[in-house]
Amino acid sequence: MPIMEKQTARDKKIQMLPKVPVPPLKQTLDTYLKCVQHLVKEEQFKKTKAVVEKFGAPGGVGEVLQKKLLERRDKTTNWVYDYWLEDMYLNNRLALPVNSSPVMVFPKQMFRDHKDALRFAAGLIGGVLEYAALIDARALPVDFARGQLAGTPLCMEQYYRLFKSYRYPGLKTDTLEVQMDAASSAPRHIVVACKNQFFVLDVVANSKQLTESEILSQLEEIMTMAEKADEKLPPFGILTSDGRTEWAQARDALTKDQTNRDSLALIESCLCVVCLDEPSGLEPRDTNRALMMLHGGGREKNGANRWYDKSMQFVVGMDGICGVVCEHSAFEGIVMVQCSEYLVKYIAAGASKMARSSSIRKLPAPRRLPWKCNAHIQGLLTASGDRLQRVVDNLDMDVFKFNVYGKEFIKKQKMSPDAFIQVALQLAFYKCNRRLVTTYESASIRRFQQGRVDNIRSATPEALAFVMSMTDERANVSDSEKIRRLIDAINAQTNYTIAAITGMAIDNHLLGLLRIAKELNVAKPEIFCDETYLASNQFVLSTSQVPTTVEMFCCYGPVVPNGYGACYNPQSDHIIFCVSSFWENTQTSSAVFVKALNESLEEIRDVCNRSGAAATKRADGGQGADLRP
């Protein structure tokens, strides 16, 4: 099928996608009360209930805001998109590494030498160019939903931002710029970071795209240039690892000089950044590889060999530690996964191609990006490095491979693997803290035009009932009662998931009502000043399922100082968990949480097995069959 026809077919599919709905006001307020009641003290809940009822009363402020929100839905492609983007990312002042940018850790590579690593990097760049060409031609096959309500076509917009996005730091709020109208035939370049220096590598010469052999020769040239001590410039990339306001101030200082403006413009317009990292000196365990992707090990290692504002940074470590660092405001994890899997397969398929390729053209040399520095900027570089080091020292990361079972066992119980794992996470948290907390699980709303995500609030009353039955030794709850409560918890989780992916969850809706109130210049409604609402938006447990079909895993940091980040990748016979927390907070420990999670998964399996055995025994009329797992 010619590309134009594909594009038309695709566009028709996307045009068919509905707009994100605005849920009924009463439904959202009722769900909100149900979500928070068991997480706050009784006295506090009474107060919250009164505030919510007043907000939702006939003729009250809630109805006015709801009406305006419905009007906004009619006028826009996606009523929540801008609100959500600003709230989730652009207004956030925290540094991107660890706090915001997720990473994908590739399978460990066994490089014999530098040349081997550069060959891998050249293959990676070849794959990026091929994938970018598919995106430009709108030739990527449309994604269809998997899991709950499978088979629905999904919005593809996020893919078109993969290589065309740049996040500019601002003093109060950042700006996400997407160059959608740039002609795809324009000469394209990537930026290569090597030894904290930045180089422009043109991927097109004399209107012809570079071959992988040519890219390899250019990368070798870059490595040679980066070695020259007399040409070494300060590590400007470290500035992008800073808090967003600090980086915005530093960028203002940088742009006073034309040389710096020109260098910034080349980085801001590149296709992607490729970071050639020095050996980390660490044992390449999963946890260490995750840390190297998340923050580069600080300025003493590869922390300055990055440019965090660019949406895609591919890291190729000389020690075989490789992966992708993503600026998250432009797209979700699944888009990063699809791209990463394409690249890993592309490199594996082309490993022997390069040796056979034809002779190399005489190419213009790559260019080192020049920077002008002064005492003020030098001070900013030092301060940014100090702050990055604090982030590095504070991150407590534990990548844990649970090998006892995977999603096949869970499916045999006729349960949703995602819901099952979410309930296990609640049990693990309860074991550590004797309470449940507001939990975030990202839910894709790509079934709708320009859909991004809403939140599944996994700490349900049903989950609490189940975890209490598993942890209360005095109650002596029977296995059949535990299983009943487990099924209730999984059903509650599944029902909330379906509500979220069909645009009926509460978080986006409440945010929309809050933002409309601000736009109308009315006093902030009491519901949004209430202690419960403020606490319910502090996600102590921030989770997401990022499944892959290739051996790799995704991870990120916690979103609050006293919280955990928990990313998981369920495979048929094992589950990879990446648990993060901050050392500074004495209430959290990734190792303690992982131990509790391991116990929880085994205990839930044991209950399922005992319950299954008992059911089989009853069916067999009490014949004592051997039912060990």
Side-chain angles (χ1 to χ4, degrees):
M1 187 196 263
I3 283 166
M4 283 311 291
E5 285 175 46
K6 273 191 182 171
Q7 185 175 349
T8 312
R10 177 201 151 268
D11 288 346
K12 276 185 183 153
K13 272 205 177 98
I14 297 307
Q15 278 158 13
M16 281 161 35
L17 292 182
K19 286 184 174 189
V20 179
V22 175
L25 182 63
K26 185 179 186 317
Q27 178 183 302
T28 289
L29 297 180
D30 289 350
T31 305
Y32 169 59
L33 289 174
K34 189 185 175 201
C35 285
V36 298
Q37 181 169 6
H38 56 295
L39 302 178
V40 298
K41 292 193 167 74
E42 201 177 333
E43 221 24 65
Q44 175 60 31
F45 181 72
K46 272 188 197 154
K47 186 183 156 213
T48 296
K49 190 165 187 274
V51 166
V52 169
E53 281 169 358
K54 182 182 162 197
F55 180 77
V61 68
E63 284 194 355
V64 175
L65 301 178
Q66 176 79 350
K67 184 168 172 286
K68 287 286 181 198
L69 204 52
L70 289 164
E71 286 170 17
R72 179 179 165 87
R73 179 181 188 259
D74 293 340
K75 285 192 219 127
T76 55
T77 309
N78 181 320
W79 63 267
V80 75
Y81 185 88
D82 290 340
Y83 292 165
W84 174 89
L85 185 65
E86 287 161 19
D87 181 67
M88 186 73 117
Y89 296 112
L90 304 182
N91 293 342
N92 192 333
R93 302 290 80 204
L94 293 174
L96 298 185
V98 177
N99 302 302
S100 176
S101 295
V103 304
M104 184 60 74
V105 182
F106 284 180
K108 166 84 174 75
Q109 303 301 314
M110 305 305 287
F111 298 141
R112 291 181 300 271
D113 51 27
H114 277 47
K115 178 106 182 200
D116 231 6
L118 295 185
R119 243 186 232 110
F120 180 89
L124 178 79
I125 293 166
V128 165
L129 296 178
E130 188 171 283
Y131 200 69
L134 286 174
I135 292 171
D136 281 347
R138 298 292 191 260
L140 283 182
V142 172
D143 286 347
F144 287 87
R146 287 175 280 192
Q148 300 297 339
L149 311 185
T152 317
L154 303 178
C155 178
M156 297 294 284
E157 279 304 300
Q158 293 178 39
Y159 286 97
Y160 309 124
R161 294 196 281 268
L162 267 174
F163 301 110
K164 301 268 180 95
S165 298
Y166 190 86
R167 179 165 166 179
Y168 289 85
L171 294 172
K172 290 196 172 140
T173 185
D174 287 3
T175 310
L176 175 65
E177 283 204 5
V178 186
Q179 314 223 291
M180 291 306 256
D181 52 353
S184 56
S185 60
R188 289 201 286 193
H189 65 280
I190 61 169
V191 166
V192 178
C194 183
K195 294 185 181 290
N196 304 340
Q197 310 290 291
F198 294 90
F199 300 85
V200 173
L201 169 52
D202 291 314
V203 292
V204 175
N206 302 326
S207 309
K208 186 167 172 283
Q209 190 172 295
L210 270 61
T211 64
E212 281 171 41
S213 296
E214 290 170 335
I215 292 167
L216 174 60
S217 74
Q218 295 290 71
L219 292 174
E220 289 176 316
E221 178 71 16
I222 284 170
M223 271 210 125
T224 306
M225 290 165 78
E227 298 284 351
K228 292 180 180 163
D230 56 329
E231 290 176 30
K232 247 193 169 47
L233 294 162
F236 280 82
I238 202 102
L239 296 172
T240 69
S241 75
D242 213 336
R244 300 310 287 169
T245 300
E246 291 84 351
W247 166 215
Q249 289 164 338
R251 193 176 178 282
D252 282 349
L254 279 184
T255 52
K256 289 189 168 51
D257 187 282
Q258 185 63 47
T259 302
N260 295 339
R261 285 203 295 276
D262 293 345
S263 289
L264 284 168
L266 280 162
I267 297 177
E268 288 157 7
S269 60
C270 74
L271 201 60
C272 63
V273 176
V274 173
C275 311
L276 303 176
D277 273 11
E278 295 294 291
S280 65
L282 300 174
E283 185 198 330
R285 291 182 297 119
D286 286 352
T287 298
N288 285 338
R289 286 159 55 218
L291 291 171
M292 286 304 103
M293 286 307 118
L294 282 161
H295 53 51
R299 64 177 159 205
E300 299 308 313
K301 290 190 163 58
N302 295 295
N305 205 46
R306 299 281 183 277
W307 200 271
Y308 281 100
D309 297 352
K310 189 61 201 162
S311 51
M312 294 295 269
Q313 292 192 91
F314 298 98
V315 177
V316 179
M318 296 301 121
D319 54 4
I321 296 179
C322 303
V324 193
V325 185
C326 292
E327 196 294 291
H328 207 347
S329 65
F331 47 82
E332 303 314 322
I334 188 64
V335 173
M336 168 173 82
V337 170
Q338 298 284 60
C339 176
S340 299
E341 294 198 342
Y342 184 93
L343 296 174
V344 168
K345 288 171 186 167
Y346 177 94
I347 295 165
S352 60
K353 271 192 326 206
M354 236 179 298
R356 296 197 304 269
S357 69
S358 59
S359 62
I360 296 167
R361 294 177 281 165
K362 181 88 180 88
L363 295 167
R367 310 185 300 287
R368 185 194 299 262
L369 285 179
W371 301 100
K372 286 287 167 60
C373 197
N374 56 33
H376 174 57
I377 291 169
Q378 193 59 59
L380 296 175
L381 288 166
T382 304
S384 293
D386 291 344
R387 282 189 286 267
L388 176 61
Q389 204 52 50
R390 282 206 285 280
V391 170
V392 170
D393 294 341
N394 197 14
L395 183 61
D396 174 10
M397 186 85 206
D398 197 329
V399 179
F400 156 59
K401 192 170 181 181
F402 178 74
N403 282 315
V404 180
Y405 60 86
K407 61 186 176 189
E408 289 313 312
F409 169 80
I410 302 169
K411 284 178 181 171
K412 278 189 186 135
Q413 314 307 310
K414 300 192 168 41
M415 293 172 184
S416 147
D418 186 62
F420 184 101
I421 294 167
Q422 283 290 332
V423 171
L425 287 165
Q426 294 300 317
L427 178 54
F429 192 91
Y430 192 87
K431 278 172 174 278
C432 299
N433 300 279
R434 290 289 148 190
R435 65 189 176 106
L436 292 190
V437 284
T438 312
T439 304
Y440 181 99
E441 182 193 359
S442 54
S444 171
I445 50 170
R446 283 175 60 207
R447 284 169 172 75
F448 304 102
Q449 292 176 46
Q450 288 184 11
R452 291 293 299 265
V453 295
D454 205 338
N455 174 21
I456 303 164
R457 288 182 169 262
S458 307
T460 60
E462 293 84 354
L464 180 61
F466 169 67
V467 302
M468 287 173 77
S469 75
M470 293 290 284
T471 51
D472 189 349
E473 280 101 34
R474 294 161 308 164
N476 206 8
V477 183
S478 68
D479 280 344
S480 60
E481 177 61 15
K482 285 176 182 172
I483 277 288
R484 191 183 68 72
R485 290 193 193 183
L486 173 62
I487 290 166
D488 285 350
I490 282 176
N491 287 341
Q493 177 70 18
T494 302
N495 292 339
Y496 204 124
T497 301
I498 291 168
I501 63 181
T502 55
M504 288 288 145
I506 65 171
D507 283 70
N508 283 352
H509 189 194
L510 290 171
L511 173 65
L513 295 167
L514 170 61
R515 286 293 298 267
I516 290 279
K518 197 175 175 188
E519 283 171 20
L520 292 176
N521 268 333
V522 298
K524 195 184 221 182
E526 203 183 343
I527 183 175
F528 301 119
C529 306
D530 179 41
E531 197 181 303
T532 302
Y533 179 78
L534 300 174
S536 78
N537 279 287
Q538 292 290 304
F539 295 105
V540 175
L541 198 50
S542 176
T543 73
S544 70
Q545 172 180 251
V546 184
T548 63
T549 60
V550 172
E551 187 207 333
M552 53 168 80
F553 58 87
C554 173
C555 51
Y556 47 78
V559 297
V560 292
N562 61 331
Y564 288 102
C567 191
Y568 52 96
N569 180 350
Q571 297 293 314
S572 58
D573 62 351
H574 66 275
I575 309 165
I576 301 167
F577 290 94
C578 301
V579 175
S580 59
S581 61
F582 293 123
W583 290 110
E584 271 174 16
N585 192 287
T586 52
Q587 300 160 2
T588 57
S589 159
S590 298
V592 168
F593 188 88
V594 159
K595 182 171 178 288
L597 182 57
N598 190 50
E599 279 173 15
S600 300
L601 288 161
E602 292 198 6
E603 284 168 15
I604 299 174
R605 175 208 56 180
D606 292 346
V607 169
C608 289
N609 282 344
R610 288 197 301 267
S611 172
T616 309
K617 204 166 177 183
R618 283 195 299 275
D620 289 348
Q623 307 273 312
D626 183 3
L627 291 156
R628 281 171 296 205

